[in-house]
Amino acid sequence: MTDEQLLRYSRHILLNELGIEGQERILATHVLVIGAGGLGSPAALYLASAGIGKITLVDDDSVDFTNLQRQILHTQARVGMAKAESGRQALQAINPEIAIVPLPQRLAGEVLAAQVASADLVLDCTDNFATRHAINRACVQHKKPLVSGAAIRFDGQISVYDLRRADAPCYHCLFPEAADVEEMRCAVMGVFAPLTGIIGTMQAAEALKLAAGIGESLAGRLLLLDALSMEWRSVRFGKDPACAVCGTGGS
Ligand SMILES: [Zn+2]
């Protein structure tokens, strides 16, 4: 680590659990952040400030005036710009020494699989079930830890699927794909601005712990937040042996 890095990350290095070794592991980690919206904004900001060595930031959308209420990567001056590029500018301004790769496209199929394969861990900061299941399948296939968050209205949830382990449940074990599932999106349902900040920041915390190899992750636990009463619930879950994605019946 350079003198400047020792200074920049000094408040991490002071943590006994983290130290220089943990920070070095963070610096050597490549995180794929899918979605540069309400969840991806705070998540990516903390990953960048904390020194994740490489961040690939994926979003096929451009900054809209209605995003500014919660998507804190973006500014009014950048309305109309691709979110991936707007995010790159925000992250690079905080930490010019890390690598940020903006991908202004919707990841699917082979491209999604290749991006997941090249990353050390994946943050799902998207807002629709089809993409969530596609990301989960790629993470199961390439055995990558997946940190998944969601926020709608006043309801938030977060979990970790540590797919490096054969006995780990995947997203599909917990939320099986159903044809009649009702899609709830911020565009029509509304979302409380700081709720996305709370969940996105927790995704960054779990990602940094996984990168540094410290603590105990949320693997096997789903945290649910009701921001109106500010009450958390923790639900334990296990692998579904019959899961079509990660079970013995799957691919
Ligand atoms: Zn599964």
Side-chain angles (χ1 to χ4, degrees), residues 102-124:
L103 279 187
Q105 61 188 94
R106 182 166 290 258
L107 288 190
E110 292 295 306
V111 186
L112 171 62
Q115 286 296 329
V116 167
S118 75
D120 297 304
L121 58 107
V122 179
L123 262 64
D124 183 349

Side-chain angles (χ1 to χ4, degrees), residues 133-153:
H133 281 292
I135 294 168
N136 177 61
R137 280 191 293 273
C139 288
V140 168
Q141 183 188 350
H142 294 286
K143 300 184 169 61
K144 302 289 180 173
L146 170 62
V147 183
S148 181
I152 193 82
R153 294 186 294 210

Side-chain angles (χ1 to χ4, degrees), residues 29-133:
T29 298
H30 174 198
V31 177
L32 176 63
V33 179
I34 307 178
L39 299 171
S41 286
L45 284 168
Y46 273 110
L47 295 180
S49 68
I52 287 288
K54 182 176 176 184
I55 298 170
T56 301
L57 186 63
V58 184
D59 204 305
D60 69 334
D61 206 359
S62 46
V63 180
D64 185 83
F65 189 63
T66 61
N67 299 151
L68 301 177
Q69 165 249 22
R70 65 199 177 283
Q71 300 184 14
I72 58 175
L73 269 178
H74 313 301
T75 64
Q76 188 158 335
R78 296 203 288 266
V79 166
M81 185 184 289
K83 285 186 183 179
E85 171 56 22
S86 169
R88 185 195 66 78
Q89 293 185 15
L91 302 179
Q92 208 80 80
I94 289 176
N95 195 342
E97 72 170 24
I98 62 168
I100 298 150
V101 181
L103 279 187
Q105 61 188 94
R106 182 166 290 258
L107 288 190
E110 292 295 306
V111 186
L112 171 62
Q115 286 296 329
V116 167
S118 75
D120 297 304
L121 58 107
V122 179
L123 262 64
D124 183 349
C125 302
T126 65
D127 64 355
N128 70 86
F129 288 114
T131 308
R132 287 180 183 281
H133 281 292

Side-chain angles (χ1 to χ4, degrees), residues 136 140 168-174 239-240 243-247:
N136 177 61
V140 168
C170 80
Y171 181 80
H172 191 278
C173 292
L174 187 59
K239 189 181 178 84
D240 174 7
C243 175
V245 175
C246 74

